[in-house]
Amino acid sequence: MADIKNELTKKLGFGCMRLPVTGGDTNAIDDTQFCAMIDSYMEQGFQYFDTAYPYHNEKSEEAVRRCLVERYDRDKFLLATKMPVWMVKETADYERLFEVQRKRCGVEYFDFYLLHAMNKDRARETEEKGGFAFVQRMKEEGKIRHIGFSFHDTADVLDDILNRHPETEFVQLQINYYDWESENIQSRKCYETAVKHGVPVIVMEPVKGGTLANMVGEPANILKGLNPEASFASFAIRYAASLENVMLVLSGMSDEAQLADNTSYMKDFVPLSEQEQQAIAKVVEELEKLPTIACTTCRYCVEGCPKKIVIPDVFHAYNSVVQFGLNDITRGNYNRAVANNGRAEDCIKCGKCEGQCPQHLPIRDLLEKTAETFAG
Ligand code: SF4
Ligand code: SF4
């Protein structure tokens, strides 16, 4: 198998799941700003864009067509998207969804194509319905250049899927320094499993859904002590990129400032020094003392909640209290999260959300705690 790492000039990928929008409306992608961000990213020699069928209420792939595909020659960028396997009811759906994606993106082929959000059950189901065979056929037909999958489960499950599917050319994993040793996410174990199989890794959520970009107290002091000019996010992204078998780190970039920050240290990437690695280990120690909820805002739990509780927004509000205390601003975060939606105390404990959560969070208990925090 040719080394696909050689296709990538740089280790930073443009995640298209949190694009700039107008008026706070996730459907209203701001093309002008997105185009400007793409131009800046491309001018600096970066080339990889990662979208997916459901991003931005299914508007991301079309925005990529308008702002990237229709403005740049096809050989100037690498485009990745993902099969929404949960929408497949029968084998014919793979072809139908794939064609919708080619049309939305306006391309003949995808450079990197992933089966989206594999876990133990989804992998079995995808096998049974012929999803793995379908992507291989698309590769043979030249409509996909490289096949892989994104993954949310334990290292054992990853090992099993890679054993059954040696055709896999890359995997996309959740890796960040906070979750490196976590038993829920198993960043280290999953990474080492990929290494064992000789499969290169694309990292998603390197900043843990933005969590590692906003630190206070001792963790903040430690990182500022290393370099007062560097953003907190820069350490998280460089940490993931410093892993040898990581070929790319995705960052979901939402505005030009974030893009400028990410590209500044990833343009001529320097791996973390020994001193920086030690400081990050100390940061993890300190962070573990803070009892925040480890929600990555993937939003997989939101749709199925019968009480319409926007769980990640509610948890974000709770976490802001853990970090900054209960004040007008943090209370405002909660009020916004529950405006026109369910409140934490509305939870009927049906448990539907917990089955969707890649972080395996005890959502029901945590909502009870959140309700107590904001009561009165
Ligand atoms: S357990 Fe609560 S939060 Fe979860 S889906 Fe049911 S009502 Fe919604
Ligand atoms: S599924 Fe879990 S991690 Fe994802 S938004 Fe919901 S609570 Fe957070």
Side-chain angles (χ1 to χ4, degrees), residues 106-334:
V107 295
E108 290 297 313
Y109 65 91
F110 295 107
D111 300 280
F112 291 73
Y113 194 81
L114 302 90
L115 295 164
H116 199 167
M118 284 289 113
N119 56 29
K120 189 176 181 183
D121 293 343
R122 281 211 182 120
R124 280 278 173 214
E125 219 177 287
T126 304
E127 260 167 19
E128 282 161 19
K129 290 187 179 138
F132 285 90
F134 172 76
V135 291
Q136 284 197 76
R137 180 160 66 82
M138 290 302 99
K139 187 178 168 186
E140 282 157 20
E141 291 181 14
K143 294 174 186 165
I144 293 174
R145 294 183 53 235
H146 300 296
I147 51 183
F149 57 86
S150 60
F151 182 77
H152 300 272
D153 211 324
T154 59
D156 287 352
V157 174
L158 179 62
D159 191 44
D160 188 39
I161 301 176
L162 290 175
N163 276 330
R164 293 206 306 273
H165 294 284
E167 74 276 13
T168 304
E169 293 176 88
F170 65 99
V171 287
Q172 191 158 304
L173 303 176
Q174 293 186 100
I175 291 180
N176 64 74
Y177 65 73
Y178 186 69
D179 291 320
W180 186 242
E181 294 293 348
S182 128
E183 266 312 299
N184 281 342
I185 311 292
Q186 301 196 346
S187 282
R188 177 178 61 75
K189 289 182 181 169
C190 287
Y191 173 77
E192 287 171 355
T193 301
V195 171
K196 186 181 94 176
H197 286 268
V199 175
V201 171
I202 292 179
V203 172
M204 57 184 162
E205 301 289 5
V207 192
K208 201 170 168 54
T211 313
L212 302 177
N214 297 296
M215 274 180 292
V216 291
E218 196 46 26
N221 292 339
I222 294 168
L223 295 179
K224 285 283 166 208
L226 284 174
N227 178 357
E229 305 301 319
S231 65
F232 297 134
S234 71
F235 293 104
I237 290 177
R238 287 179 56 228
Y239 176 89
S242 297
L243 295 160
E244 201 184 334
N245 194 44
V246 164
M247 67 173 180
L248 188 81
V249 178
L250 294 173
S251 176
M253 294 184 252
S254 307
D255 56 42
E256 291 175 56
Q258 206 179 352
L259 180 125
D261 183 58
N262 285 179
T263 52
S264 67
Y265 48 82
M266 291 306 289
K267 190 175 172 186
D268 298 305
F269 169 64
V270 179
L272 291 177
S273 67
E274 190 52 41
Q275 186 203 8
E276 287 173 321
Q277 292 279 11
Q278 281 170 11
I280 283 175
K282 184 82 184 108
V283 166
V284 173
E285 248 177 60
E286 294 295 329
L287 281 174
E288 276 171 354
K289 295 177 190 166
L290 295 173
T292 52
I293 297 170
C295 169
T296 62
T297 68
C298 68
R299 308 187 91 80
Y300 293 150
C301 57
V302 173
E303 203 180 309
C305 174
K307 301 307 284 185
K308 307 226 170 314
I309 302 169
V310 187
I311 299 161
D313 296 353
V314 168
F315 285 171
H316 175 75
Y318 174 85
N319 284 347
S320 67
V321 175
V322 174
Q323 292 176 309
F324 305 110
L326 189 58
N327 55 40
D328 285 353
I329 293 171
T330 51
R331 209 177 264 288
N333 286 344
Y334 183 67

Side-chain angles (χ1 to χ4, degrees), residues 305-307 309 311 347-353 364 367:
C305 174
K307 301 307 284 185
I309 302 169
I311 299 161
C347 172
I348 52 168
K349 299 191 184 296
C350 67
K352 275 188 186 167
C353 51
R364 290 172 283 190
L367 283 174

